[in-house]
Amino acid sequence: YNIQTGSLFIDLRIPMTKPFSRWENLLCGDNKNEGQIISSRQAFESMSDEDLRLYARQHVFAGYSVISQEKNNNNENNNNKMSNNLPLCTRHHCIDWNYVSGKPRPRPNKWYIEGRNINERIPFNTWKEWSYATDENGQSYYWEKWERITGDELGQGLRLAMRKKKQVPSREGCDDAILVAVGDHFNYIVGRQFLDLHTRYGDASNTVELVDLAIQNGDRDTAISYLSLAGGHGTISSGWKIDCALQPWQHGKSVFDCLQCNTCNEEVKVIGSSNVGCISWEVLIGNDSWDVYECSLSREKLQQLFLSRKMSRL
């Protein structure tokens, strides 16, 4: 699920071969029937070493996108044959599953957007992503085909982008987080909860390598700390329930429960004046404060959407 607003985005990619049922059952046995709350940390600790390594082979990343048009397609530094007259998307990642502390993504992710409808007045339903970087023949070294899914309202309905404010002073376990929604679909991402263990494996260039090295050294604490990054997808019409997540034991839960920082307060409140733009608003999810980057609704209608926990025509 790749949800892109006019500002923030979250791109979630989970292998179809992931052992969902086995991991879902980590928190769905007798303990769930008894109403006990078990943490994700406990779920990770119950996993085998092999499960932790498999779990690392997922991907979610988030940040903001900038759309532009290259002015000079004859630039000697860009031999990409796809560059003529195509919009260029540059994505700046602020939370990324693949990259580890001290070794961030070396450059923004850039790609061309190729898409066309018979009726050019409406947004296109399918498009191709062509890499900005090329091979020795001037060809994009990868391309991906993307399709809209039912319920996104062609991007003309609900659009919402929020990011959790940085805590000053920082509280343990309260990391960066983003929530985006387009139409009936939402994605969320919550940053890692480090245990000051991220300097142990300086040779690791990504999360998979780091987790593999940690497991090989019997260091499950470091592996689990890097796997603590959370992300997933759901629909608003279900009551903001999660239906696909890195942590499958979160399936069926309210996204607002997963976004809170060590609290169980279900209140979601929009603060701000209706007479000014959404960037001056603040959303409280439990005890955590969030900035609103983008919203297609009025403040009152956004509050209704949060309170109702179900999709309505606003």
Side-chain angles (χ1 to χ4, degrees), residues 112-279:
Y112 293 102
I113 306 168
E114 180 188 19
R116 182 178 295 110
N117 273 346
I118 297 177
N119 182 354
E120 296 187 355
R121 294 183 179 181
I122 63 174
F124 38 76
N125 292 316
T126 65
W127 67 93
K128 290 181 180 178
E129 170 185 332
W130 297 89
S131 69
Y132 181 81
T134 59
D135 60 19
E136 65 276 8
N137 298 311
Q139 299 287 345
S140 296
Y141 70 88
Y142 82 85
W143 68 271
E144 298 173 353
K145 182 179 179 181
W146 292 90
E147 297 182 358
R148 292 186 181 276
I149 56 177
T150 302
D152 80 334
E153 300 179 357
L154 297 176
Q156 305 301 298
L158 171 67
R159 298 180 304 281
L160 175 65
M162 308 193 317
R163 186 177 184 183
K164 188 165 73 171
K165 288 186 176 182
K166 185 176 181 180
Q167 302 292 330
V168 181
S170 178
R171 288 183 288 163
E172 182 180 357
C174 296
D175 299 289
D176 201 358
I178 291 174
L179 174 68
V180 293
V182 173
D184 191 29
H185 297 271
F186 69 81
N187 276 359
Y188 72 94
I189 187 170
V190 181
R192 293 182 173 95
Q193 300 180 27
F194 283 116
L195 301 175
D196 297 325
L197 305 174
H198 55 279
T199 59
R200 292 186 177 180
Y201 304 97
D203 293 335
S205 60
N206 56 58
T207 298
V208 171
E209 289 183 9
L210 188 145
V211 170
D212 284 351
L213 282 172
I215 294 299
Q216 290 170 16
N217 285 276
D219 183 4
R220 288 174 57 91
D221 281 344
T222 295
I224 289 172
S225 73
Y226 268 84
L227 299 178
S228 62
L229 190 153
H233 166 274
T235 55
I236 300 173
S237 59
S238 69
W240 292 90
K241 297 294 179 60
I242 298 167
D243 57 24
C244 181
L246 297 180
Q247 302 174 338
W249 49 87
Q250 305 290 10
H251 293 172
K253 293 185 179 180
S254 166
V255 67
F256 300 110
D257 292 337
C258 298
L259 293 176
Q260 294 184 56
C261 175
N262 302 327
T263 63
C264 297
N265 186 348
E266 296 183 357
E267 183 180 14
V268 181
K269 186 176 182 181
V270 184
I271 301 173
S273 173
S274 303
N275 300 322
V276 294
C278 65
I279 59 173

Side-chain angles (χ1 to χ4, degrees), residues 10 28 62 67 112 151 202 206 217 256 293 313:
I10 299 176
C28 296
I67 307 297
Y112 293 102
N206 56 58
N217 285 276
F256 300 110
Y293 281 54
R313 294 283 181 180

